[in-house]
Amino acid sequence: MFDLPVETKKQRRTYTQFRKELIRNGFLMMQFSIYIKSCINKESARGTIAAVQKFLPKDGHVRSIIITEKQFEQMKILVGEEDKNIELLGTNRTIEF
């Protein structure tokens, strides 16, 4: 989950580069500024977090949380519909936000 400043051209470029790097690293957009990645286990999820830390922007806020597939399945959609990207995650995986 991230919140990056986008007031200047340089900040927008940084935002775009960060977003593209997340996608290159296998993340899918769940909602604006919320990207998820399916990992085989918690060790793999921790490795993914370490990889993201190598390309963090200097400004803004970036947060990560590891949840299990079971916890993810308990999420309730209150408004809107399930995004088709979520189907790509597969089953029995640890989900990293």
Side-chain angles (χ1 to χ4, degrees):
M1 298 173 276
F2 62 92
D3 185 17
L4 302 179
V6 290
E7 295 171 0
T8 68
K9 188 173 182 176
K10 182 179 178 183
Q11 289 172 334
R12 286 189 295 277
R13 190 175 318 118
T14 298
Y15 169 91
T16 300
Q17 289 170 342
F18 181 68
R19 182 183 173 283
K20 286 182 178 181
E21 197 63 36
L22 287 174
I23 292 167
R24 273 193 282 273
N25 278 268
F27 284 83
L28 300 172
M29 185 176 76
M30 183 174 175
Q31 290 183 207
F32 291 116
S33 299
I34 299 178
Y35 285 71
I36 60 177
K37 181 176 178 180
S38 178
C39 298
I40 196 72
N41 56 37
K42 287 183 182 180
E43 184 177 326
S44 174
R46 287 187 202 105
T48 298
I49 292 169
V52 170
Q53 287 177 314
K54 293 178 182 177
F55 60 86
L56 288 174
K58 291 189 300 183
D59 297 320
H61 300 278
V62 179
R63 298 170 192 259
S64 175
I65 184 170
I66 297 173
I67 64 171
T68 65
E69 179 71 18
K70 187 174 182 179
Q71 291 167 326
F72 184 80
E73 288 173 354
Q74 293 176 18
M75 186 182 333
K76 304 245 185 290
I77 298 174
L78 302 178
V79 174
E81 298 177 6
E82 185 73 74
D83 189 305
K84 298 299 180 192
N85 280 337
I86 304 304
E87 294 175 11
L88 299 173
L89 293 175
T91 58
N92 299 320
R93 304 278 180 160
T94 300
I95 307 296
E96 178 195 330
F97 287 88

